[in-house]
Amino acid sequence: MYENLLPRFLRYVKTETRSNSKSETTPSTQTQVAFAQTLKKELEELGMSDVTYNETNGFVIATLPSNIEKEVRSIGFIAHMDTADFNAVDVNPQILENYDGESTIKLDPEGKFTLNTTDFPNLKNYAGQTLITTDGTTLLGADDKSGIAEIMTAMEILIKNPSIKHGTIRVAFGPDEEIGVGADKFDVEQFNVDFAYTMDGGPVGELQYETFNAAQADITIQGKNVHPGTAKNTMINALQLAIDFHNQLPKNEVPEKTDGYEGFFHLAELSGTPEEAKMTYIIRDHDREKFEARKALITKVQEIINQPFDQERVQINLYDQYYNMGEIIEKDMSIIELAKNAMIELEIDPVIEPVRGGTDGSKISYLGIPTPNIFAGGENMHGRFEFVSLQAMEKATNVIVKIAENNAK
């Protein structure tokens, strides 16, 4: 049942599909367009119906028609095609069979980059399993090509095994999730399902229906630069104002000092000269009131920094990115119970905890399709230490099939 899962995954990760936040096109890169066309052809060859590529939003969508007579809710499964902001050219996956759960894994021949249980204690969970790693020069792309491979393989299993009963299933593979705009143009009317799941989580068992509320603040600070030897009472150093701005924010409410439901301010970019400086913050909180308070504090700090001057030195473009999908999904928890029970039947312990980030499901839920997130198996995503277990991908594939089967009962 899984004979095509690993070859499919390896083929996907070797295809470069990094997104580009500076692009103004959708998808943001032509490599994603090319990959989408490849996936469209594969879906057609599998025997899926109504296979389309939407040129407006970059999504490949296909249907597996119901094979039962009674009416049941239709389900969607979604994964994203792009990879994160790290080298993704010439991905060379390494396969380590029957890992012992203890040994240090050399990613590159020289051993400059390693996976070891000191830095990555979760390796101990993979004794006896087949690991797919990088060669130390690129990311792997399990985020989210493991999700694509799992959905594709689950559809193949259902098509080849008509004795497994299911309702209508729709699949969608989309662009630009990593740069936060992938679902902005998602067409819920075209997708036309009652609920969906993104296969975009991490280790086995993850089941997530709460995400951050998210905003971004792009800040420009205008200084006044003169010769430092005659600068007294004249120079306004934009870099110093940037430092002053940052120091007005709570020093412990940053990503490296928070976890669970704790929100943060994250200084993602800082550049400039005494004449002009630019800063970018991402603002995150699961609680909507606390989220709004964080945005208000950014504006308050702007007022504080500007107050001594006769003109506005600090200008801010503050905008929301996505919201906590839990506010939508909590209205009907049956789709969480459906996924949870599928995992339990497969002897997988569900791990229900908030996402310290967002998924395409965050936006799709607010567009009208409740869309929680299920594990896809990857660990250490977005960098050279990324890896995934073949057995984890098999379990994710099983969850998709079991959800479809149980929904038809």
Side-chain angles (χ1 to χ4, degrees), residues 18-21 83-88 139 178-179 269 382-383:
R18 183 175 178 177
S19 48
N20 177 9
S21 62
T83 58
D85 190 20
F86 193 85
N87 182 28
L139 49 63
E178 298 292 0
I179 58 175
E269 293 184 24
H382 295 191

Side-chain angles (χ1 to χ4, degrees), residues 294-305:
R294 289 186 183 280
K295 293 191 294 180
L297 179 56
I298 288 283
T299 302
K300 179 64 176 178
V301 173
Q302 177 190 21
E303 294 173 358
I304 291 171
I305 301 299

